[in-house]
Amino acid sequence: MLDSTAEGLPGDELVQLLDPAGTRMEHPLYESYVADATGERLLSLYEDMVVVRRLDVEATALQRQGELGLWPPLLGQEAAQVGSARALREDDFVFPSYRENGVAYCRGVEPRDLLRVWRGTSQSGWDPYSVNMATPAIVIGAQTLHAVGYAVGCRRDGVDTAAVAYFGDGATTQGDVNEAMVFAASFAAPVVFFCQNNHWAISEPVGLQAQRPIAERAPGFGIPSVRVDGNDVLAVLAVTRRALERAHRGDGPTFIEAVTYRMGPHTTSDDPSRYVDPRQRAEWAGRDPIARVEAHLRAEGVLTEQAAARVAARADEVAAAFRAGCTSLPQPAPLSIFDHVYAEPNSALDRQRSQQAAYLRSIGEVAE
Amino acid sequence: MTQLTLAKALGSGLRRALADDDRVVLMGEDIGALGGVFRVTDGLQRDFGPDRVMDMPLAESGIIGMAVGLAFRGFRPVCEIQFDGFIYPAFDQIVAQVAKLHYRTGGAVRMPLTIRVPYGGGIGAVEHHSESPEAYFAHTAGLRVVTCSTPQDAHTMLRQAIACDDPVVFFEPKRRYWTKGEVDETVLDEPGRAELMDRARVVVEGTDVTIVAYGPLVATAIDAAVAASDEGLSIEVVDLRSLAPLDLDTIEASVRRTGRLVITHEAQQSGGLGAEIAASITDRCFLHLEAAPARVTGFDTPYPSARAEEHFLPDLDRILDAVDRVLGRANALTGWSPR
């Protein structure tokens, strides 16, 4: 059992290493996991969060300007995503939902590739094997089972690689997520379930999904769990490193509930003013994940004016390339819709493809 | 050559697949010590170990979803769904994940899963144990859907399905599990010796009417052809093998010879494979058809209780009735007469 109460249940207590004012807090268990995360290293986590927020804001603007069909903002979840993603080893494999753009950035996905799905130029932006991260799952929770299967495959292959499944509080209601926990426990899969409890499943508050802290569920499946302040990048880094250490060591699955808050809409299509209490949102704004690292780094003298300017310049640079990359994404060729449906020849599809090619030629369009 | 039941032929196909490729893993409920509820996997866990032949927790979506992850990792999972009616909890993983991941990832991720499903009626089973859900899967882009009718095809096609880099939903006609036949287990050892699993097969040659059947009804269609020959009729029977893609070329060639088409399946009629075949063949050989294609299928009802299933399932007489119809002959059984 990882933590914490006498009964072995995680309870309501959150692991926290950096409070909202930016003060480092003591923690007997987790401190050692982030002993290296000071000075320049902590500054680089800060930079990641600033850049990820900037990309997110930029993408939201691109959607408002009609360049993207849709965008799922992660505003407020930067610490949960950067802290967990920076804990991963290169060979660990991520199975995300559609909101893990910050995780993807940390995995080395080219920022412009994040936009392909939402601009509608392809169904996924990258080759999963090039960054060891699957492309986004839109069906809620489906990817958690994939992570378990991948993790079992790693064990079969005799490697200590782990798989990580990202999902939200809403997903914990889905059958697949519950089945994934049963299967992970049954096969002692080296998998980390990383739940970002951002308090909302579109407009439904977390209370409609769970009557008790979500992390309490996992021990019932035989999986140790931990609740962490999801707006505290150090605490998220620490608990994820510990969970991965268990997985790499062969000790099986861990469930992490990162308690955070979705400061924006579910996607650019919905209207949170219809369902969010502004007082609750204001309260969470006071726990901003970036502000607290900034306060801490300034107090430590690490975030000098010079360093701050460097981070800002970096964010500007990435954002400019992101925007330019978006509008330069190539339009799919008409017949590309037939590509990759099957790995091997398929007579029915080949027939439709050649009929459509002939039709396009007949009206003077270039088919390929 | 050995004499095997269709179920044993499937088992020997799985055994060969496990022996030939150590990335092949079997996953399913009760497939280990019990050998599956139909004993298809009998002895495989004993010989290949619980890591290759895995008894799974009781959750169909979990089985398929976990297989997706194993495929991501380069394994070739063979999942057993215990009965046709239990595939629905796994529907999302099959149609939204398994079928689409190769497409979604621009070809980067392969999904060489085989999903084995004992299907169809005629064994006097309870509810959810006699269904024919093949049209749902044939309708889904990215899946291959096949079914077998003989022990030889069962063995060969299953090995081909497992070797295929695309996901294959493999429907096993459970009421034919105990059908015996010669099985040549070396047929895939030399390339080109076996027929492709997506090529239909002319089982009985004839000149008057083509009957297209698949899975459990191929035997019934052959019986109908034999019965019709007593009346001097020459019936051609085509065994589809593959439901997606359809080998329309083979059906077309047959219908061009006979000019008449009867399609039979156990599944409900509306939106079924019969409609697709009738439309496609009408499109291809309208001017060669002497009559509109006829369908002999299950009815648009839920599968009925065991003592009523004989009224639901296409049988020899209903098929012969349809043969009469496409020949423009009155039929005493139905009272139908040409207008």
Side-chain angles (χ1 to χ4, degrees):
Chain A
M1 198 58 56
L2 277 182
D3 317 304
S4 62
T5 66
E7 291 78 28
L9 289 174
D12 290 347
E13 201 182 314
L14 294 178
V15 176
Q16 200 176 53
L17 294 173
L18 199 59
D19 77 6
T23 312
R24 273 297 282 257
M25 300 170 73
E26 311 248 308
H27 196 288
L29 182 57
Y30 285 107
E31 229 156 45
S32 63
Y33 285 92
V34 285
D36 62 325
T38 55
E40 285 297 313
R41 290 222 176 166
L42 187 52
L43 184 64
S44 84
L45 289 173
Y46 169 75
E47 181 190 297
D48 284 341
M49 287 195 287
V50 170
V51 170
V52 162
R53 177 169 293 183
R54 182 60 181 274
L55 289 174
D56 193 62
V57 169
E58 196 71 32
T60 303
L62 283 164
Q63 195 281 331
R64 297 301 183 217
Q65 291 157 9
E67 299 291 348
L68 302 178
L70 190 73
W71 179 256
L74 59 80
L75 188 68
Q77 298 178 224
E78 295 86 353
Q81 296 205 8
V82 169
S84 58
R86 286 297 179 214
L88 294 164
R89 233 166 49 187
E90 198 178 329
D91 64 324
D92 292 332
F93 205 100
V94 173
F95 289 87
S97 83
Y98 43 78
R99 203 184 299 284
E100 275 69 65
N101 292 302
V103 176
Y105 170 77
C106 293
R107 292 306 275 169
V109 173
E110 274 296 314
R112 122 177 152 146
D113 290 343
L114 298 173
L115 298 175
R116 291 179 192 269
V117 170
W118 311 105
R119 191 165 167 84
T121 59
S122 73
Q123 299 221 321
S124 64
W126 61 88
D127 173 350
Y129 297 115
S130 68
V131 288
N132 286 337
M133 176 165 176
T135 50
I138 308 270
V139 175
I140 302 298
Q143 74 280 10
T144 55
L145 281 163
H146 308 168
V148 173
Y150 191 94
V152 169
C154 292
R155 274 192 44 196
R156 291 288 159 78
D157 285 338
V159 296
D160 68 350
T161 301
V164 184
Y166 283 87
F167 51 101
D169 45 302
T172 60
T173 302
Q174 288 278 356
D176 274 2
V177 176
N178 289 274
E179 291 183 22
M181 286 196 273
V182 172
F183 282 56
S186 296
F187 298 110
V191 64
V192 176
F193 294 106
F194 193 90
C195 174
Q196 289 171 85
N197 174 1
N198 71 9
H199 282 73
W200 296 103
I202 305 189
S203 68
E204 296 180 350
V206 63
L208 199 56
Q209 321 290 336
Q211 310 311 310
R212 297 285 308 151
I214 290 169
E216 279 189 14
R217 290 190 194 174
F221 291 99
I223 298 173
S225 69
V226 55
R227 266 192 127 207
V228 60
D229 180 345
N231 285 13
D232 173 351
V233 72
L234 278 182
V236 174
L237 180 69
V239 300
T240 313
R241 279 180 171 174
R242 184 150 195 263
L244 285 166
E245 182 186 82
R246 272 174 48 82
H248 294 153
R249 206 170 50 212
D251 289 349
T254 305
F255 187 101
I256 296 169
E257 178 190 0
V259 182
T260 179
Y261 197 82
R262 195 192 76 206
M263 296 298 287
H266 162 67
T267 69
T268 44
S269 288
D270 82 329
D271 175 7
S273 74
R274 285 169 175 256
Y275 57 83
V276 170
D277 178 349
R279 283 167 305 183
Q280 187 191 43
R281 190 182 181 282
E283 200 179 305
W284 277 93
R287 302 176 202 162
D288 185 78
I290 296 182
R292 72 176 72 180
V293 182
E294 189 170 317
H296 176 75
L297 288 172
R298 283 199 193 279
E300 295 284 306
V302 179
L303 189 65
T304 58
E305 287 314 307
Q306 218 176 3
R310 205 174 64 227
V311 169
R314 172 77 185 142
D316 284 345
E317 181 195 345
V318 174
F322 190 53
R323 172 171 283 272
C326 174
T327 49
S328 70
L329 284 171
Q331 192 70 10
L335 292 182
S336 68
I337 60 170
F338 294 101
D339 294 342
H340 309 301
V341 182
Y342 296 93
E344 298 186 16
N346 183 287
S347 56
L349 193 62
D350 292 347
R351 199 159 50 235
Q352 290 184 4
R353 186 194 166 101
S354 53
Q355 283 169 349
Q356 178 67 359
Y359 168 72
L360 288 175
R361 279 194 302 274
S362 79
I363 58 168
E365 291 217 0
V366 181
E368 294 302 327
Chain B
M1 298 277 260
T2 12
Q3 187 84 8
L4 294 177
T5 63
L6 192 146
K8 292 273 184 207
L10 290 165
S12 82
L14 292 172
R15 178 174 291 279
R16 278 296 298 265
L18 284 161
D20 289 351
D21 184 351
D22 61 11
R23 303 305 279 179
V24 171
V25 290
L26 310 194
M27 311 164 71
E29 296 159 11
D30 306 304
I31 68 169
L34 182 64
V37 289
F38 290 103
R39 311 292 183 268
V40 168
T41 55
D42 189 26
L44 296 178
Q45 190 182 63
R46 182 194 61 220
D47 296 342
F48 292 93
D51 280 355
R52 303 283 310 282
V53 181
M54 303 167 71
D55 269 327
M56 301 301 284
L58 205 81
E60 285 75 16
S61 189
I63 293 170
I64 304 297
M66 189 173 148
V68 168
L70 280 160
F72 250 101
R73 183 76 203 172
F75 288 84
R76 306 184 85 85
V78 183
C79 302
E80 178 174 308
I81 297 293
Q82 206 158 59
F83 279 95
D84 34 53
F86 304 161
I87 200 167
Y88 306 117
F91 195 71
D92 170 66
Q93 284 290 345
I94 296 171
V95 304
Q97 308 299 331
V98 172
K100 289 186 181 163
L101 269 159
H102 188 258
Y103 192 64
R104 187 179 296 150
T105 60
V109 178
R110 294 262 158 118
M111 281 291 129
L113 270 81
T114 303
I115 301 168
R116 294 181 39 236
V117 192
Y119 84 118
I123 62 164
V126 295
E127 194 185 9
H128 312 301
H129 292 66
S130 301
E131 307 203 356
S132 299
E134 62 270 18
Y136 298 116
F137 302 99
H139 192 65
T140 300
L143 299 176
R144 290 173 188 273
V145 182
V146 303
T147 180
C148 53
S149 67
T150 66
Q152 180 69 63
D153 271 2
H155 176 91
T156 313
M157 289 175 65
L158 184 53
R159 288 174 60 193
Q160 288 170 325
I162 295 167
C164 180
D165 268 349
D166 289 317
V168 181
V169 185
F170 194 97
F171 282 105
E172 300 171 0
K174 70 169 93 79
R175 69 166 142 147
R176 307 294 181 201
Y177 270 151
W178 302 278
T179 303
K180 278 194 170 179
E182 292 287 328
V183 176
D184 177 359
E185 288 165 297
T186 68
V187 73
L188 286 173
D189 293 350
E190 292 163 44
R193 247 180 79 205
E195 289 176 79
L196 299 173
M197 69 174 176
D198 57 6
R199 294 296 291 277
R201 169 176 79 103
V202 176
V203 191
V204 179
E205 292 190 357
T207 52
D208 296 331
V209 176
T210 298
I211 301 178
V212 169
Y214 57 85
L217 286 182
V218 173
T220 313
I222 294 170
D223 290 346
V226 171
S229 72
D230 293 344
E231 293 182 41
L233 283 174
S234 169
I235 305 271
E236 182 145 303
V237 178
V238 176
D239 176 0
L240 278 184
R241 284 198 181 114
S242 174
L243 312 183
L246 284 168
D247 179 7
L248 291 169
D249 293 346
T250 297
I251 309 171
E252 178 185 347
S254 174
V255 171
R256 277 172 184 262
R257 283 194 296 274
T258 62
R260 293 177 174 87
L261 174 62
V262 171
I263 309 142
T264 185
H265 55 63
E266 289 188 15
Q268 284 87 340
Q269 184 167 93
S270 298
L273 263 298
E276 175 59 36
I277 293 165
S280 294
I281 293 302
T282 304
D283 186 32
R284 285 175 171 229
C285 29
F286 184 64
L287 297 178
H288 297 268
L289 282 167
E290 305 289 341
R295 287 175 286 167
V296 185
T297 69
F299 301 108
D300 291 354
T301 68
Y303 196 87
S305 45
R307 302 233 173 197
E309 68 181 347
E310 63 178 301
H311 305 298
F312 178 92
L313 291 170
D315 60 10
L316 185 136
D317 288 332
R318 276 175 63 200
I319 292 172
L320 288 176
D321 174 48
V323 166
D324 281 343
R325 260 187 288 155
V326 297
L327 285 165
R329 307 197 313 193
N331 184 281
L333 191 71
T334 62
W336 186 92
S337 65
R339 281 183 210 105

